[in-house]
Amino acid sequence: MSNNGKSSKVSGFYKLSVEKRVEFVRNFSDLTEEEKRLFSTCLDMDIADRMIENVLGTFELPLGVAVNFVINGKDYLIPMVTEESSVVAAASNAAKIARIKGGFKTECSNPLMIGQIQILNMDDVASAAQKIMDHKREILQLANAQDKILVDLGGGAKDLEVRILDSPLGKMIVVHLIVDVRDAMGANAVNTMCEALATYLEEITNGKVRLKILSNLADRRIVKAKAVFDKEKMGGEHVVDAFLESYMLASIDPYRAATHNKGIMNGIDALIIATGNDFRAIEAGAHAYAARNGKYTSLTRYHKDKNGDLVGEIELPLAVGIVGGAANMHPKAKLCRKILGIKTAQELAEVVASLGLAQNFAAVLALSTTGIQKGHMSLHAKNIAVMAGAKGEEIDKIAERMIKEKKIKLDRAKEILEGIR
Ligand code: NAD
């Protein structure tokens, strides 16, 4: 189980200096000296100024790496950008347990996105719908004429669906254009096609086209990941049972499911941001999919196998790209893709889903046993020390003292700081 013969399994990674960690990643992912230097540089102002409007500067977040991941037999180091403590450690720990039984196994659909075109004001909605289907070939051709590159890569508009919806404004048609977006997230590609179809659809339906935009409920672009978590490493079969009791609440109660899924997104968003992808699109798709049967529920499922080990599964839509958007503009997004060693958007989606499952497993395991506060304590204490005004070594000293005293409070941090100084 290796990536070019290199293993992502490493103990005590967190104890290494930043330089040693960077060196490990450089070795694992064959980074050049120039790529290595990127870790400590900020986004160039010229690039930032071309990414969004009214730029004033850049905003930094920590970039870490989750270790120990084996996915479909291949070792991965997973770059994660997040402001939340414990997330990277929890993912690495879950991956360590999962690799005992072979790591994560995934499945992925084709990268199909849905574009929506809304048509109103038709005299006869049923016959308009029929006319659209009668002109399916011409519609797909017109859509594909917008993106020769995508078509040459084997992607492009592949299918049409026509839905008739009742609304307070009367009946309307929503055309779904199904587009294979290959290695792109696909929003621009799909939106361009949808806009190009508007006039033609108005002509054949005698209606008025209003919205022309992709749907973030990307339920044709589904990724599944599965892993078996060793009962002994979890702390025994009674822990597996406690885990399943905790999980049950997320499966039946939206109040818990929202928090449960937020824990999944802790991992997913961190990798989505690291690779320059659109985390709002991923969030919207995930939560809409979680409510697809009319009731919001967990994106993961768990059961115990005949050995008493825990089997975890995740299923969600993942519209991720390795071309287009910010993926190619942001140098660190490119660096993160190199660290991952991924070759396609589908491979990235499979890593994203595995990370989401790992993150969820770690959170529910902690919640079922010690609670999550213990794991958060060290970094939380350091945050409080910084808030109290501590600098450099003072931060570690104050954090250690507060943990020992089991009193992690801003006023206590200030007292200790005064004492030290
Ligand atoms: P894009 O248009 O920048 O890149 C996609 C294009 O790259 C394709 O159309 C194709 O012509 C070309 N291409 C080259 N090589 C390719 C390959 N191997 N596979 C696929 N295409 C290839 O980007 P996009 O992915 O269409 O759009 C993503 C952007 O759209 C993101 O920045 C996202 O934030 C934004 N966006 C999102 C929404 C939404 O989610 N609702 C709406 C509008 C815009």
Side-chain angles (χ1 to χ4, degrees):
M1 287 190 282
S2 64
N3 189 345
N4 295 333
K6 293 167 194 158
S7 172
S8 65
K9 185 164 182 254
V10 42
S11 300
F13 192 67
Y14 67 99
K15 291 185 198 150
L16 300 178
S17 64
V18 173
E19 288 73 23
K20 291 236 165 74
R21 289 185 210 135
V22 168
E23 198 44 40
F24 179 87
V25 174
R26 191 191 67 75
N27 239 315
F28 182 90
S29 305
D30 293 325
L31 304 183
T32 63
E33 278 304 313
E34 200 184 326
E35 285 166 336
K36 188 180 144 184
R37 271 196 298 278
L38 269 178
F39 285 114
S40 50
T41 58
C42 292
L43 181 64
D44 195 279
M45 205 56 73
D46 272 354
I47 299 177
D49 200 26
R50 285 179 176 82
M51 284 175 80
I52 64 163
E53 308 76 31
N54 300 353
V55 165
L56 302 173
T58 58
F59 184 102
E60 310 305 321
L61 282 174
L63 162 63
V65 71
V67 296
N68 302 327
F69 273 84
V70 173
I71 303 167
N72 301 325
K74 177 174 164 186
D75 275 58
Y76 289 90
L77 290 178
I78 303 188
M80 298 176 77
V81 171
T82 180
E83 85 300 343
E84 188 169 346
S85 63
S86 303
V87 168
V88 180
S92 303
N93 195 37
K96 195 169 164 186
I97 300 178
R99 71 185 288 142
I100 296 169
K101 301 278 176 183
F104 298 84
K105 306 276 184 306
T106 66
E107 280 172 45
C108 195
S109 67
N110 279 328
L112 297 176
M113 295 297 285
I114 298 168
Q116 294 196 297
I117 305 155
Q118 177 198 28
I119 314 172
L120 305 122
N121 302 344
M122 289 150 292
D123 298 331
D124 183 345
V125 175
S127 86
Q130 187 55 50
K131 279 187 189 145
I132 295 170
M133 288 319 282
D134 292 344
H135 290 81
K136 179 171 161 177
R137 201 168 57 88
E138 292 84 348
I139 293 168
L140 293 182
Q141 262 172 6
L142 183 54
N144 282 328
Q146 312 308 313
D147 204 330
K148 198 171 166 338
I149 297 176
L150 196 55
V151 174
D152 287 348
L153 289 165
K158 300 287 181 190
D159 204 0
L160 264 196
E161 281 166 4
V162 180
R163 300 166 61 210
I164 298 175
L165 302 180
D166 273 320
S167 84
L169 300 176
K171 282 191 192 305
M172 63 177 79
I173 284 180
V174 179
V175 177
H176 278 193
L177 183 70
I178 315 292
V179 185
D180 183 325
V181 296
R182 299 284 86 204
D183 285 318
M185 181 270 180
N188 282 326
V190 170
N191 294 345
T192 305
M193 288 182 181
C194 289
E195 288 189 7
L197 294 179
T199 311
Y200 185 63
L201 286 170
E202 285 183 346
E203 273 168 26
I204 60 175
T205 60
N206 253 330
K208 174 77 205 150
V209 166
R210 188 60 64 199
L211 290 182
K212 316 167 265 293
I213 178 120
L214 99 160
S215 169
N216 285 113
L217 176 50
D219 62 2
R220 300 297 190 89
R221 202 174 184 179
I222 297 297
V223 190
K224 297 178 187 177
K226 186 175 180 176
V228 178
F229 299 96
D230 183 78
K231 65 171 186 281
E232 299 308 337
K233 269 282 170 220
M234 285 177 66
E237 198 164 340
H238 66 285
V239 178
V240 174
D241 293 336
F243 186 109
L244 288 170
E245 284 168 5
S246 304
Y247 155 67
M248 190 51 68
L249 186 58
S251 79
I252 59 167
D253 176 29
Y255 285 93
R256 171 58 202 149
T259 324
H260 180 92
N261 290 342
K262 187 272 180 185
I264 294 173
M265 303 318 283
N266 276 343
I268 287 182
D269 283 347
L271 175 53
I272 291 297
I273 297 170
T275 51
N277 272 285
D278 183 337
F279 55 93
R280 289 84 53 210
I282 297 296
E283 286 275 348
H287 295 294
Y289 195 66
R292 66 193 177 284
N293 295 323
K295 187 177 174 191
Y296 187 88
T297 186
S298 164
L299 288 165
T300 51
R301 289 188 307 275
Y302 292 93
H303 69 272
K304 192 160 70 166
D305 69 11
K306 57 182 182 336
N307 297 322
D309 293 320
L310 182 76
V311 182
E313 292 166 274
I314 187 168
E315 175 180 330
L316 79 168
L318 283 171
V320 294
I322 59 168
V323 296
N328 282 334
M329 271 192 110
H330 200 303
K332 277 192 190 142
K334 284 195 237 172
L335 176 66
C336 288
R337 284 209 306 276
K338 180 148 181 201
I339 294 171
L340 284 162
I342 49 140
K343 301 281 179 283
T344 63
Q346 281 176 313
E347 187 183 358
L348 174 58
E350 288 170 345
V351 176
V352 173
S354 303
L355 178 61
L357 176 59
Q359 206 70 58
N360 182 238
F361 163 79
V364 179
L365 180 63
L367 285 167
S368 318
T369 52
T370 50
I372 56 164
Q373 285 313 92
K374 193 167 167 243
H376 273 93
M377 268 326 138
S378 170
L379 287 171
H380 174 61
K382 285 181 191 170
N383 287 344
I384 298 286
V386 171
M387 276 167 68
K391 302 239 162 15
E393 284 178 3
E394 289 170 352
I395 301 170
D396 299 319
K397 275 190 192 153
I398 295 171
E400 252 170 56
R401 260 286 271 291
M402 290 194 297
I403 289 170
K404 221 178 194 170
E405 293 171 359
K406 294 199 172 78
K407 200 171 173 196
I408 302 170
K409 295 264 172 345
L410 185 58
D411 50 351
R412 182 61 190 138
K414 283 182 180 163
E415 272 171 28
I416 303 173
L417 181 61
E418 266 173 37
I420 294 175
R421 285 179 177 174

